[in-house]
Amino acid sequence: MDRAALRPKVMALPGGGAQLEQFRALTLFAESSDTVQAARKMIRTALEEWALRALVDDVALCVSELVGNVVHHAVPDECLVVPGAPRRVDITLTKWPKWLFLGVTDEDSSPPLLPPRETSFPELESDLSEASLLDSGRGLKIVEVLADSLWWSLEEAGGKTVFCRFDLVGSSGRR
């Protein structure tokens, strides 16, 4: 492997500025026993290298939930099915000056079951037992609470990406 390819690159910014590129990508397979663990390790390593240790727990939990959803629920679109092949999970982590973006791509274009906003029960927040939570969408509800923004997008060739944004400046004070 060419180690030069792993070195950060400097990106030119408009107005003559420059910024160190901070991007990581990892492809995993849903059938591997260590898929979620490998995703968390990539997140932890990148955030520590980028001096964002305060975000490690939140982003690692989000990637665990999103990759876990792929492992347990994603069924590849017919156009992407290869008999006998494992299901692919692509993870991207991108740091910009004001934001950190996490993307988890799978081969299933079905929309994620994002938790509806109107089913929040504020009176139960202090004593949320598992019995009081919705049957589906719990993991995405956790992600929605930890991230500053959560959305998804269809991929042109099939499948989808679920994105999270974490604000690095002016955040709501959770971090």
Side-chain angles (χ1 to χ4, degrees), residues 4 6 8 10 14 19 31-33 36 39 62 68 72-73 78 107 120 126 130 140 142 147 150 156 161 172:
L6 298 176
V10 176
Q19 174 187 331
E31 289 74 18
S32 298
S33 62
V36 175
C62 289
H72 296 292
H73 305 293
E78 194 167 310
E107 299 172 315
S120 176
S126 63
E130 189 169 318
L140 286 174
I142 292 168
L150 171 66
E156 191 173 321
T161 301
S172 59

Side-chain angles (χ1 to χ4, degrees), residues 48-96:
E48 287 174 356
E49 288 177 10
W50 298 343
L52 294 173
R53 283 187 174 86
L55 288 175
V56 169
D57 291 340
D58 287 357
V59 181
L61 181 53
C62 289
V63 82
S64 294
E65 292 295 338
L66 296 175
V67 171
N69 283 348
V70 175
V71 169
H72 296 292
H73 305 293
V75 177
D77 293 347
E78 194 167 310
C79 65
L80 298 174
V81 171
V82 176
R87 294 172 296 146
R88 181 180 170 139
V89 183
D90 293 316
I91 301 163
T92 58
L93 189 65
T94 309
K95 180 185 177 287
W96 290 95

Side-chain angles (χ1 to χ4, degrees), residues 1-48:
M1 174 195 278
D2 178 14
R3 293 270 178 211
L6 298 176
R7 282 191 221 119
K9 296 169 182 63
V10 176
M11 300 182 307
L13 297 175
Q19 174 187 331
L20 193 62
E21 176 186 63
Q22 294 182 312
F23 174 81
R24 291 286 166 37
L26 181 65
T27 295
L28 299 167
F29 298 102
E31 289 74 18
S32 298
S33 62
D34 65 346
T35 299
V36 175
Q37 179 183 359
R40 283 193 309 259
K41 182 178 180 182
M42 189 262 298
I43 296 299
R44 188 178 316 107
T45 301
L47 294 179
E48 287 174 356

Side-chain angles (χ1 to χ4, degrees), residues 66 114-115 140 143-144 147-152 162-165:
L66 296 175
L114 296 171
L140 286 174
V143 173
E144 185 180 55
D148 290 293
S149 187
L150 171 66
W151 72 98
W152 69 283
V162 178
F163 294 98
C164 300
R165 188 194 79 234

Side-chain angles (χ1 to χ4, degrees), residues 97-164:
K98 296 180 182 180
W99 308 285
L100 178 75
F101 292 96
L102 168 65
V104 176
T105 303
D106 63 52
E107 299 172 315
D108 183 349
S109 61
S110 301
L113 296 174
L114 296 171
R117 296 206 184 266
E118 63 274 359
T119 59
S120 176
F121 303 101
E123 65 276 6
L124 298 176
E125 286 180 3
S126 63
D127 187 30
L128 278 179
S129 67
E130 189 169 318
S132 67
L133 295 173
L134 301 170
D135 286 338
S136 63
R138 287 183 286 196
L140 286 174
K141 183 65 177 172
I142 292 168
V143 173
E144 185 180 55
V145 167
L146 294 176
D148 290 293
S149 187
L150 171 66
W151 72 98
W152 69 283
S153 175
L154 290 173
E155 294 296 317
E156 191 173 321
K160 69 177 169 299
T161 301
V162 178
F163 294 98
C164 300

